[in-house]
């Protein structure tokens, strides 16, 4: 009987030792941690959602998404794009005040953008529409630069606007020069005659006033 008890005690000690060793050799594993979302990927996703709505012509929803993205991400490569599309939508809705603000956000942004020239034209047009002629004039004459890479249609639009603004500033010579410059960007004889006729009208108008 005593030998059986001793055997049981030995087995109990062996079992306990095995249990202790197994616990010590098994590393403690932390539960897997969920990775925090990448802020840049989240921002791009927000922009893409807004862009998708814009292309689907769901402008009110697109405007909300673009605005939320731009205000939450002021210094990304896509921020100027968001403000540019906001400006276009505001201008199409006739809200020239807001359009001017959005386009100016593109012009004053910290990152160079491919939309700069179009945003400048949009801002100047919007400002002229709400009576801010002096600011529109400064934008067109001081910040816009014609280069060989300038889109011809865009150049013509800017020169047309500049001509109107120069007339309002009592600068007929500058207005004529803008129209003649615009004429050099068009190819059809009809379009060239249109701008030449506009320049001629300014000349005769000023000659008549001077008599």
């Amino acid at each position: 009987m005593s030998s059986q008890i001793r055997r049981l005690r030995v087995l109990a000690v062996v079992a306990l030792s095995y249990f202790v060793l197994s616990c010590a050799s098994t590393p403690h594993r932390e539960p897997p941690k969920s990775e925090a979302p990448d802020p840049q990927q989240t921002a791009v996703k927000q922009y893409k959602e807004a862009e998708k709505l814009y292309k689907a012509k769901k402008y009110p929803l697109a405007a909300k998404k673009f605005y939320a993205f731009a205000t939450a991400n002021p210094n990304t490569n896509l921020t100027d794009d968001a403000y540019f599309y906001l400006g276009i939508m505001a201008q199409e809705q006739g809200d020239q005040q807001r359009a001017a603000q959005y386009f100016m956000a593109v012009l004053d942004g910290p990152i160079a953008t491919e939309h700069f020239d179009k945003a400048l034209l949009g801002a100047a047009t919007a400002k002229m529409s709400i009576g801010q002629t002096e600011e529109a004039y400064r934008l067109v004459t001081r910040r816009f630069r014609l280069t060989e890479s300038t889109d011809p249609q865009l150049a013509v639009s800017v020169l047309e606007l500049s001509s109107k603004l120069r007339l309002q500033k009592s600068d007929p010579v500058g207005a004529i020069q803008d129209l003649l410059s615009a004429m050099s960007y068009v190819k059809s004889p009809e379009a060239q005659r249109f701008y030449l006729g506009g320049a001629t009208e300014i000349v005769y108008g000023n000659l008549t006033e001077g008599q």
Side-chain angles (χ1 to χ4, degrees), residues 61-77:
L61 290 175
K64 290 181 180 179
K65 291 281 188 179
F66 274 132
Y67 185 78
F69 165 81
T71 53
N73 305 277
N75 298 312
T76 72
N77 292 329

Side-chain angles (χ1 to χ4, degrees), residues 148-167:
E148 294 181 356
S149 61
T150 303
D151 178 71
Q153 186 175 354
L154 177 63
V156 167
S157 297
V158 171
L159 289 166
E160 284 181 356
L161 180 61
S162 177
S163 179
K164 294 176 183 177
L165 290 167
R166 290 183 188 278
L167 281 177

Side-chain angles (χ1 to χ4, degrees), residues 11-193:
L11 290 174
V13 170
V14 172
L16 180 61
S17 300
Y18 179 79
F19 175 76
V20 171
L21 289 173
S22 64
C23 290
S25 61
T26 303
H28 178 67
R29 295 182 180 179
E30 294 287 343
K33 296 181 179 180
S34 57
E35 294 184 1
D38 184 352
Q40 187 174 0
Q41 291 182 354
T42 301
V44 171
K45 182 179 179 181
Q46 290 174 344
Y47 178 85
K48 293 297 184 182
E49 289 175 356
E51 186 180 45
K52 184 177 180 179
L53 290 169
Y54 177 80
K55 290 180 178 180
K57 298 184 178 181
K58 298 179 179 179
Y59 298 134
L61 290 175
K64 290 181 180 179
K65 291 281 188 179
F66 274 132
Y67 185 78
F69 165 81
T71 53
N73 305 277
N75 298 312
T76 72
N77 292 329
L78 296 172
T79 304
D80 289 338
D81 296 51
Y83 277 124
F84 178 72
Y85 290 123
L86 282 167
I88 290 178
M89 287 185 284
Q91 205 161 48
E92 288 180 350
Q93 293 169 359
D95 191 344
Q96 301 298 339
Q97 182 74 42
R98 186 168 294 180
Q101 293 174 354
Y102 289 143
F103 285 133
M104 288 303 300
V106 177
L107 300 181
D108 297 333
I111 300 176
T113 172
E114 62 180 344
H115 299 302
F116 185 89
D117 288 344
K118 291 182 180 179
L120 192 150
L121 175 61
T125 302
K127 285 182 176 293
M128 184 178 179
S129 299
I130 58 179
Q132 297 178 0
T133 307
E134 191 65 33
E135 292 184 30
Y137 178 78
R138 284 199 298 267
L139 282 174
V140 171
T141 57
R142 297 182 186 180
R143 299 189 68 173
F144 188 82
R145 296 290 182 269
L146 289 173
T147 66
E148 294 181 356
S149 61
T150 303
D151 178 71
Q153 186 175 354
L154 177 63
V156 167
S157 297
V158 171
L159 289 166
E160 284 181 356
L161 180 61
S162 177
S163 179
K164 294 176 183 177
L165 290 167
R166 290 183 188 278
L167 281 177
Q168 292 189 20
K169 297 282 292 181
S170 301
D171 180 13
V173 175
I176 291 170
Q177 290 175 339
D178 284 338
L179 290 177
L180 294 179
S181 295
M183 187 175 71
S184 67
Y185 280 94
V186 296
K187 295 181 179 180
S188 71
E190 183 179 356
Q192 291 176 348
R193 286 195 297 270

